[in-house]
Amino acid sequence: QKEVEQNSGPLSVPEGAIASLNCTYSDRGSQSFFWYRQYSGKSPELIMFIYSNGDKEDGRFTAQLNKASQYVSLLIRDSQPSDSATYLCAVPPSGGSYIPTFGRGTSLIVHP
Amino acid sequence: SQTIHQWPATLVQPVGSPLSLECTVEGTSNPNLYWYRQAAGRGLQLLFYSVGIGQISSEVPQNLSASRPQDRQFILSSKKLLLSDSGFYLCAWSVGPGFGGELFFGEGSRLTVL
């Protein structure tokens, strides 16, 4: 059974700092990875996905993937209080399954 | 463009009462549909998913049921609610057939059972 592990946090960073959110996964065959952001009381929304080893940048967000170490991370540069949310790592299904695997999420708090 | 609607947004129900949550998707055909529950401070728990009309897969045995009477309509029901059914219920869809990679979530329904 696939597993996706995240530190539940909370991760607290000052405004303007870099927030680093980490995720490890058990299925070495996983090919792609998704990061969702969920504000308190709201539904998750996709913010980043990554397929290839290395870095993928989108504005202040950078996703990093290391398949050899089965490790994916999300970096948020110049963190803002509006980035305070729970960040969910997810792995799409494979082998004919329709069920993605979500981590439990890391709570991020950016304080002024 | 595709949209997903879920209602009601909030409801408070007594123990033992019935439940019906509805979700509809617009702008796509033959989506995969999902019902998740999220207890306070917890992760996403998959309850049901459906890959076609009338096709329902249950992931967690409980007093809830789901139905898909139309291609883009997904309904979550219960005949008698339990206290433990309280939570944030999320409907989601992904591109079908197969799995498109990304889940698109509805706005959620917050259920409190008293």
Side-chain angles (χ1 to χ4, degrees):
Chain A
Q1 183 174 349
K2 290 184 180 181
E3 292 184 353
V4 175
E5 299 289 339
Q6 294 183 260
N7 188 320
S8 62
L11 173 65
S12 182
V13 301
E15 185 174 356
I18 296 175
S20 178
L21 304 161
N22 305 314
C23 172
T24 59
Y25 58 95
S26 63
D27 184 1
R28 190 170 286 279
S30 295
Q31 297 296 314
S32 57
F33 304 86
F34 293 74
W35 283 100
Y36 291 80
R37 176 178 60 201
Q38 185 177 21
Y39 291 115
S40 180
K42 303 296 184 181
S43 58
E45 58 176 338
L46 183 72
I47 55 171
M48 288 282 289
F49 62 89
I50 186 167
Y51 295 96
S52 304
N53 265 336
D55 296 359
K56 179 183 179 182
E57 188 174 317
D58 184 1
R60 296 187 295 111
F61 296 89
T62 299
Q64 298 177 321
L65 175 58
N66 184 325
K67 290 187 177 182
S69 300
Q70 296 177 240
Y71 180 96
V72 58
S73 63
L74 179 69
L75 301 180
I76 306 175
R77 292 183 301 280
D78 188 25
S79 295
Q80 301 297 308
S82 58
D83 294 324
S84 297
T86 296
Y87 290 81
L88 302 165
C89 176
V91 176
S94 60
S97 170
Y98 293 87
I99 305 173
T101 302
F102 281 87
R104 295 185 62 176
T106 298
S107 174
L108 172 66
I109 299 172
V110 181
H111 53 87
Chain B
S1 64
Q2 302 92 355
T3 56
I4 177 170
H5 300 287
Q6 185 181 341
W7 68 94
T10 307
L11 63 166
V12 179
Q13 296 285 100
V15 169
S17 64
L19 171 73
S20 181
L21 302 178
E22 191 166 338
C23 171
T24 60
V25 180
E26 297 177 356
T28 189
S29 297
N30 196 28
N32 301 319
L33 296 172
Y34 303 80
W35 277 113
Y36 284 89
R37 178 170 62 197
Q38 191 174 38
R42 307 292 295 274
L44 294 170
Q45 178 188 28
L46 179 63
L47 302 175
F48 302 93
Y49 70 95
S50 171
V51 301
I53 296 174
Q55 300 179 57
I56 308 295
S57 296
S58 174
E59 289 300 302
V60 182
Q62 57 207 334
N63 68 319
L64 300 173
S65 62
S67 62
R68 185 171 177 173
Q70 301 180 42
D71 181 44
R72 292 169 290 177
Q73 184 185 26
F74 206 22
I75 299 172
L76 181 70
S77 304
S78 175
K79 292 182 179 178
K80 289 187 176 182
L81 285 169
L82 307 173
L83 286 174
S84 57
D85 292 323
S86 294
F88 191 44
Y89 289 79
L90 290 158
C91 181
W93 73 275
S94 69
V95 174
F99 185 83
E102 176 181 1
L103 283 186
F104 300 89
F105 288 88
E107 304 93 339
S109 299
R110 186 163 303 282
L111 170 65
T112 302
V113 182
L114 301 175

